[in-house]
Amino acid sequence: MEGANFSDAGLQGADFSGAILKDANFARAVISRTSFKGAQQLTAKQLKTACVGDRHKTNVTPEELKSEQPYFSPALRKEIENNTVLKGNIPWCK
């Protein structure tokens, strides 16, 4: 899946475990509860414009945001936590 274009895709619940995702484009993709555990060559930078949840829902609670987060390996989770844009979470879709 290296270099794949997933921009604007609905990837809720997808499983990318073990996939090589170098240069894959996730721009504006909905990645709620998607598994990236074991995905290779995926960076927080590739996910900075991806989102989670329902675009039509407003007034989202912190619990709802947390429940929609994708599943990441510990190393990528740490990279997302340290990313100045993501600040630890994939944002709610707008």
Side-chain angles (χ1 to χ4, degrees):
M1 298 190 162
E2 190 171 329
N5 183 5
F6 298 109
S7 60
D8 297 304
L11 301 172
Q12 301 92 322
D15 188 353
F16 289 98
S17 301
I20 298 172
L21 297 171
K22 180 181 180 184
D23 298 326
N25 180 356
F26 290 92
R28 300 168 312 278
V30 182
I31 58 172
S32 301
R33 300 172 313 283
T34 299
S35 179
F36 292 102
K37 287 188 172 185
Q40 301 172 44
Q41 301 179 31
L42 176 65
T43 66
K45 183 179 179 183
Q46 289 169 262
L47 300 172
K48 70 181 182 179
T49 62
C51 63
V52 299
D54 181 349
R55 295 182 199 291
H56 304 291
K57 182 167 181 157
T58 57
N59 300 325
V60 179
T61 67
E63 293 79 20
E64 287 173 306
L65 178 62
K66 185 176 180 180
S67 74
E68 294 292 324
Q69 290 298 301
Y71 306 102
F72 298 112
S73 65
L76 184 54
R77 170 60 58 202
K78 186 144 190 88
E79 188 180 336
I80 290 167
E81 288 170 3
N82 294 326
N83 184 282
T84 57
V85 174
L86 297 173
K87 301 175 184 169
N89 286 303
I90 303 300
W92 196 264
C93 297
K94 295 180 180 170

